[in-house]
Amino acid sequence: MTPKHSFCLVLSLLVLAGVASSADKVLAGKRESPFNLERRELWTSNNIHGTPEPPDPFTTQDAFPKLKFFEPLSAGLVPGTKRMGIATRPGKIYTFELRPDVDSSELLVDVGKTTYGVVFHPRFAENGYFYVMYILEPGKTEEKGSRVSRFKATGNPPVADPKSETIILEWPSGGHNGGCLRFGPDGYLYLATGDGSGIADWNITGQDISDLLGSILRIDVDHADPGKQYAIPKDNPFIGQENARGEIWSFGHRQVWKFSFDGRKRLWAGEVGQDLWEMVYLIKRGGNYGWSVMEGKHSFRPERKKGPGEFVPPIVEHPHSDFRSITGGYVWTSPRLPALKNNYIYGDYDTGRLWSLLYEEGEVVVSRQLADTQIRIVEFAQDNAGEVYLVDFAGGGLHKIVPAPPQVATKPFPKKLSETGLFASTKDNTPAKGLIPYSVNAPLWSDGAEKERFIALPGDSQIELDDVVYPHGPTYPDLGWRFPDGTVLVKTFAMEMEKGKPESTRRLETRILQYRKMPGNDDEYGAQYWFGYTYLWNDDQTDAELAPAEGADRKLTILDPKAPGGKREQTWHFPSRAECTLCHTMAAKYVLGITTLQMNKDHEYGGTRANQLATFEKLGIFKDKLPKPSAELPRLADYHDPKQDLHLRARSYLHANCAHCHRMWGGGNAEFELHATIPLTDTKAVDTRPGQGLFNLKDPRIITPGDPARSMILHRMELTTLGRMPHVASKVVDEEGVKIVREWLTKLKDEDLLKKPGAINPRVVVEEKAK
C-alpha cells in the first residue's frame, strides 16, 4: 500500500494579509451579474470527464436479481445440497437454491435475536446440524451475552424448530462481539470473538488469554468434554496452560470481521482497526496479533502488558483514508475470471471498495483495487465452483464480480479547477454561467471554515424532489432528492487567517461531487454513484490543483488573540477520494446538504432574498411542482439563530453533524438515530447506555435528560483526541455547538420535548401494514 500522503504548508500571515484585500473578493468573489431569478440560465461548460485514476478492471452486478434479504450479515453453503444459507441481523435465517433465476428463499429458522453468524455442519445432509451466533441483548455488556447454539433441521428445503436449540458456548458481549463461524478443513468449528469493547479495548482483554474475548476459538462440536457441549481439541495451542482458555486458537484481535479457509488450509482474516488502520492477517496456531498494544504494525498502547508470543504482523494494511471497516473474504478459485485465480478477495463496509491480493512464498506480490462500489460489503460467500459473492447489508442482495465494460475515450480529467468548466474565472472566484448558488439551514461544522456552495445541472435537466427513499422505504421520514446524470455539486472552503478579520480569509479547497448514472442499473439501487474530488487552492489564490487520491494535510498558522502567544496551529485535512463515501452514504441518500430539510430557506441572490424551493420551482429546476407551499414543507432550524427554539436548534445541529452516520445503515457503530424528523423517544438514544466506551464518565447514557455531565453525546463533541465525534472531517471543537447542546440537555427534563420532533413541519408517515 502507498502510505497516506501528507504534507505541511505553514502559511505566513504577513503575506496573506497583502494578498487578500477583502473577504468578499476571497470567498464570495466578483460577480459579473447577479443570479437571474426570472429565467433559468443553463450550464453548458461542463468539462469533467472520466476519472483521474486508471479505470478499475472489474465491477459488480446482481448475482440473484430477484432475491433480496433484510439486513443480511452471514452467508454460507449448505453442504450436501445446492443451497446457500443467509442469516439476517433480526434473526431470520433462510436458505435458497443456487441458481441465477432463483426468485424465492425459504425460512430455515427465526432465532428472534440479533444474529451475526451461521454455519452448516460439514455432514449437514446426514445430521441436519447448523450453528448460529447471536446476541442476547444488543447494546448491553453481559457476562454471557454472546452465544453460539446448535439447531437441527429436517426436510427439503430444510426447516428447523427453534426448540431444537442446544447452547454450545457463551462469552461476554460488548461493543465488539465477533460472530463469524466457519468449519475448518480439520472438521473443527472456528469462531471469532471481539474484544467486548468499543473504544481502545477498555477491558484490557486483547492480550489476556484467560478469557475468550479478542480471539479466534477452535472447538470440537462432534464430541463433548465433561460439563460442556463441545470438546477442546488436544492440539490447541494453550490447552493445559495455567490461566489460559484452551479454546483459543489465536488472540490479540480487536474485531475479526469475517475469516475463511482456502484450499491450502490457510486461515485468512480481516481485522477491523480503530484509529488508523484496517488489516488482513494470515492466522497461525497460537498467534498473537498485537491488539491492543499494537494496531496492525503500529504502536497503540505500548505500555500495556503483552501476552505470550511475538506479535504477528498483518500481510496488508489499509489506512483509514482508503478503508474504514474491513470485511474479510475468500481466495478465488473459480475458472470464470482467470485474472483473479488464487487472489484473496476482500473489501470495505464503509467505502464499498473491493480489493484483491496475491500472496506467494511469504509475501504479497500483487495488491490492487478491483472495483469502487456503492455496496455495504458486510460478508463474502463462496460457492463450490470457487466463485466469490459480495453480500450487501443495506441493499440486501448478493453480487458477483464481472469485468468492467470497455472505457469510452474521453477528454483528460481536469487537473486544475480552472479546467472543470465550473468557474468563469477562478482568479476572481466567478462561477460559470448556469451554476445555481445555494445555502443550507444547518451547516456541517468544518473546523471554523466558511463555505460557498453551487449546484451545476447539465443543460436543462431537472431535479426530482423527495424521490429517493431507498434503502429505508417510503415510511422513513428523511427523503432525498434525485439528481440528473452529470450533476456536479461544488463547495469551496475558506478560513480567516486572523480571527475576527474577514479580510484575512483564504480559500483552502473546493470539493466537488459528481453524479454518474451507471449503465444497466435501475434508479432504485446501483445507479446512485457519486464521485468526490477536491482541489487545493494555491498561495496566489488564482487556481486550485487536484489533490492526490490519498488526500493530504496542510498546517495553518492562525492569529488568534485567545490562543497562547496570540497564534495557534491548525491542521486542515483534505479528504481522500475514498473518505468522501464515509459520509455521503446510501443511507444518507448520498447528498447531505441538498435536501428539503436543508434547502427550505431564504437565500441571498445578489441583493434579493427568496425561498430556495420556491425559486427552484419558478425556474423549472424541479421536474414537478412543489406538493405544498414552501412554508408548509419540512425544514431544519437555523441553529446559529438564538431567537429560534432551543430544542429545534439542538436537533438541527445533531442532524447536520451526526445523522448521516447515526441512522439506520448509516455506518455509525452505535444503533441510534439522530435525524431531526423523529421524536427523541424514537431515536434509541435517550437513557441508552453507550456501547462504545464509558470514557470515565459516571453511569453515562447517550442522552441523559437534564444531566449534560452524563450525556456521552456531549462528552464526545468536546474531545479532540481518541473518541472525538464527528470522528471524520473535524479536529477542532465547535464551541457554539457544544454550548447549544449542553443548554438543551440541561432543559431536556421536560417530557413533552422527548416526544417532540426536531424539525419544523416534520414529514409524518404512516407505517405500512405488512403485505
Side-chain angles (χ1 to χ4, degrees):
M1 284 293 300
T2 302
K4 178 180 177 181
H5 178 73
S6 177
F7 65 88
C8 291
L9 179 62
V10 180
L11 301 177
S12 168
L13 294 177
L14 294 176
V15 174
L16 297 183
V19 172
S21 60
S22 70
D24 178 71
K25 180 177 179 180
V26 171
L27 185 61
K30 294 192 299 183
R31 300 289 183 252
E32 294 180 359
S33 61
F35 183 75
N36 193 330
L37 289 172
E38 300 302 322
R39 177 179 56 84
R40 179 182 175 184
E41 296 180 313
L42 303 184
W43 179 50
T44 58
S45 58
N46 181 18
N47 196 37
I48 305 172
H49 308 281
T51 171
E53 286 87 34
D56 288 328
F58 296 95
T59 185
T60 62
Q61 68 181 39
D62 272 322
F64 311 101
K66 300 177 182 178
L67 206 58
K68 291 290 185 289
F69 299 92
F70 179 75
E71 297 185 348
L73 274 179
S74 179
L77 288 176
V78 183
T81 75
K82 295 181 179 180
R83 304 182 75 86
M84 182 173 284
I86 295 284
T88 65
R89 186 186 65 83
K92 290 185 177 182
I93 302 174
Y94 302 86
T95 67
F96 66 93
E97 293 184 68
L98 273 172
R99 49 185 176 84
D101 62 344
V102 63
D103 60 3
S104 64
S105 60
E106 288 72 41
L107 182 66
L108 173 65
V109 71
D110 186 354
V111 176
K113 300 286 186 180
T114 296
T115 298
Y116 282 9
V118 65
V119 68
F120 296 82
H121 195 282
R123 298 194 305 276
F124 175 84
E126 303 170 23
N127 58 31
Y129 290 159
F130 63 98
Y131 299 80
V132 180
M133 185 275 176
Y134 63 85
I135 307 298
L136 295 178
E137 293 192 53
K140 291 190 176 181
T141 301
E142 299 178 295
E143 192 59 32
K144 294 182 178 181
S146 300
R147 174 182 292 174
V148 170
S149 287
R150 183 186 70 212
F151 294 82
K152 182 176 177 61
T154 58
N156 185 23
V159 177
D161 186 340
K163 295 180 181 179
S164 69
E165 178 180 11
T166 298
I167 298 172
I168 302 298
L169 180 65
E170 295 178 322
W171 65 92
S173 63
H176 298 139
N177 300 299
C180 185
L181 304 170
R182 312 279 192 223
F183 275 95
D186 50 16
Y188 295 134
L189 178 63
Y190 292 72
L191 62 109
T193 66
D195 65 5
S197 169
I199 295 292
D201 187 17
W202 71 62
N203 293 318
I204 319 295
T205 191
Q207 292 293 303
D208 184 0
I209 60 171
S210 69
D211 61 33
L212 298 180
L213 293 169
S215 304
I216 293 178
L217 312 181
R218 179 181 185 245
I219 61 176
D220 180 357
V221 293
D222 292 328
H223 302 88
D225 291 336
K228 294 183 172 66
Q229 294 292 337
Y230 62 92
I232 300 176
K234 302 304 181 185
D235 60 343
N236 272 14
F238 302 109
I239 193 167
Q241 290 191 22
E242 186 177 359
N243 295 323
R245 291 296 298 258
E247 297 93 336
I248 294 175
W249 184 252
S250 66
F251 69 101
H253 298 295
R254 180 176 184 263
Q255 171 82 325
V256 168
W257 190 255
K258 309 303 179 179
F259 61 84
S260 68
F261 291 90
D262 65 14
R264 295 165 59 181
K265 301 182 180 180
R266 296 179 299 185
L267 177 52
W268 298 81
E271 176 88 61
V272 178
Q274 178 167 296
D275 284 358
L276 298 172
W277 302 97
E278 304 291 306
M279 290 74 66
V280 173
Y281 287 111
L282 275 174
I283 303 298
K284 302 177 181 179
R285 177 184 181 273
N288 179 351
Y289 292 84
W291 181 251
S292 57
V293 175
M294 306 288 288
E295 182 185 27
K297 298 177 183 178
H298 313 271
S299 291
F300 182 77
R301 295 290 186 271
E303 73 282 0
R304 289 182 174 172
K305 184 179 179 180
K306 180 180 174 296
E310 297 301 316
F311 294 143
V312 181
I315 62 171
V316 157
E317 291 181 312
H318 286 274
H320 276 185
S321 56
D322 285 331
F323 273 36
R324 286 285 173 148
S325 182
I326 197 170
T327 298
Y330 287 86
V331 171
W332 182 280
T333 57
S334 168
R336 184 175 65 85
L337 297 172
L340 296 182
K341 186 177 180 180
N342 297 326
N343 277 249
Y344 178 66
I345 311 297
Y346 63 104
D348 187 66
Y349 174 84
D350 274 345
T351 66
R353 290 188 164 190
L354 181 68
W355 275 65
S356 72
L357 65 86
L358 183 61
Y359 189 76
E360 293 180 348
E361 298 181 357
E363 65 179 61
V364 176
V365 295
V366 177
S367 177
R368 60 173 175 164
Q369 179 172 300
L370 300 182
D372 188 358
T373 79
Q374 296 291 322
I375 297 170
R376 287 287 193 181
I377 308 173
V378 75
E379 165 74 301
F380 288 89
Q382 189 169 39
D383 64 18
N384 287 320
E387 186 94 5
V388 176
Y389 301 93
L390 293 70
V391 180
D392 180 10
F393 180 72
L398 280 76
H399 300 256
K400 66 179 182 179
I401 305 170
V402 296
Q407 295 291 311
V408 179
T410 62
K411 297 179 182 179
F413 191 88
K415 297 297 180 66
K416 293 184 177 181
L417 189 60
S418 57
E419 299 169 352
T420 61
L422 294 169
F423 288 84
S425 169
T426 52
K427 179 181 179 181
D428 296 323
N429 196 32
T430 304
K433 180 180 177 181
L435 262 66
I436 306 163
Y438 75 96
S439 55
V440 297
N441 279 312
L444 179 75
W445 167 250
S446 297
D447 288 358
E450 303 173 35
K451 284 167 275 191
E452 185 179 38
R453 308 167 177 87
F454 295 95
I455 304 171
L457 300 176
D460 60 356
S461 58
Q462 295 174 302
I463 296 170
E464 296 175 62
L465 179 76
D466 288 349
D467 192 58
V468 178
V469 300
Y470 192 85
H472 302 101
T475 63
Y476 200 74
D478 195 11
L479 305 180
W481 293 7
R482 189 179 302 278
F483 296 86
D485 188 26
T487 296
V488 181
L489 309 180
V490 187
K491 183 158 58 175
T492 296
F493 295 73
M495 184 81 72
E496 285 184 354
M497 294 294 107
E498 185 170 357
K499 195 70 174 175
K501 289 192 175 182
E503 62 270 20
S504 71
T505 302
R506 299 280 292 175
R507 292 188 293 275
L508 302 176
E509 64 174 307
T510 294
R511 297 179 191 173
I512 67 172
L513 275 178
Q514 185 189 36
Y515 168 62
R516 302 177 199 155
K517 184 175 181 179
M518 305 301 289
N521 289 328
D522 61 33
D523 286 336
E524 182 186 41
Y525 174 73
Q528 299 270 337
Y529 277 68
W530 289 86
F531 296 84
Y533 307 97
T534 190
Y535 290 84
L536 284 60
W537 281 89
N538 59 25
D539 289 347
D540 294 333
Q541 300 283 274
T542 56
D543 208 343
E545 293 191 4
L546 182 67
E550 61 269 24
D553 292 308
R554 178 176 291 177
K555 188 174 289 185
L556 309 177
T557 301
I558 299 174
L559 294 182
D560 186 348
K562 295 183 180 179
K567 65 180 180 180
R568 59 181 171 84
E569 289 190 344
Q570 178 177 331
T571 299
W572 182 267
H573 178 63
F574 303 93
S576 74
R577 287 164 208 161
E579 284 178 292
C580 296
T581 63
L582 299 179
C583 295
H584 296 279
T585 64
M586 177 194 301
K589 314 301 188 296
Y590 302 100
V591 178
L592 308 183
I594 309 180
T595 66
T596 300
L597 286 167
Q598 287 279 25
M599 295 286 289
N600 189 6
K601 68 179 294 289
D602 288 348
H603 180 79
E604 182 76 26
Y605 293 101
T608 301
R609 293 190 65 82
N611 180 273
Q612 293 181 126
L613 299 187
T615 299
F616 281 28
E617 179 184 47
K618 176 182 177 181
L619 296 178
I621 294 170
F622 288 139
K623 185 176 181 180
D624 299 308
K625 296 292 185 181
L626 293 176
K628 297 178 181 178
S630 58
E632 299 177 21
L633 291 174
R635 69 179 188 275
L636 296 175
D638 176 1
Y639 63 77
H640 288 299
D641 184 358
K643 296 180 181 179
Q644 296 197 33
D645 180 87
L646 176 63
H647 177 71
L648 297 180
R649 291 172 65 206
R651 293 295 307 276
S652 170
Y653 184 89
L654 296 175
H655 181 104
N657 288 277
C658 314
H660 47 274
C661 281
H662 289 293
R663 65 174 58 212
M664 188 183 298
W665 306 314
N669 290 329
E671 293 186 359
F672 58 88
E673 304 192 55
L674 289 177
H675 56 87
T677 51
I678 61 175
L680 277 174
T681 48
D682 292 344
T683 63
K684 304 177 186 176
V686 177
D687 290 323
T688 300
R689 187 177 175 84
Q692 307 298 317
L694 304 182
F695 291 87
N696 296 317
L697 299 186
K698 183 179 179 181
D699 191 26
R701 298 293 184 265
I702 295 171
I703 290 177
T704 312
D707 195 344
R710 290 176 52 223
S711 295
M712 185 61 70
I713 202 167
L714 177 66
H715 179 70
R716 295 187 65 171
M717 285 174 61
E718 296 177 299
L719 295 176
T720 56
T721 54
L722 183 65
R724 168 164 175 71
M725 285 290 169
H727 72 102
V728 294
S730 176
K731 299 178 183 297
V732 178
V733 174
D734 181 0
E735 299 294 347
E736 180 190 7
V738 166
K739 180 180 179 181
I740 292 169
V741 173
R742 179 183 289 115
E743 184 180 355
W744 170 67
L745 289 167
T746 302
K747 297 180 179 180
L748 203 53
K749 292 181 180 179
D750 185 350
E751 292 189 4
D752 289 339
L753 286 181
L754 300 180
K755 301 175 184 178
K756 179 182 178 182
I760 301 167
N761 302 326
R763 179 173 179 262
V764 178
V765 296
V766 178
E767 284 294 331
E768 296 178 342
K769 294 182 179 180
K771 296 181 180 178

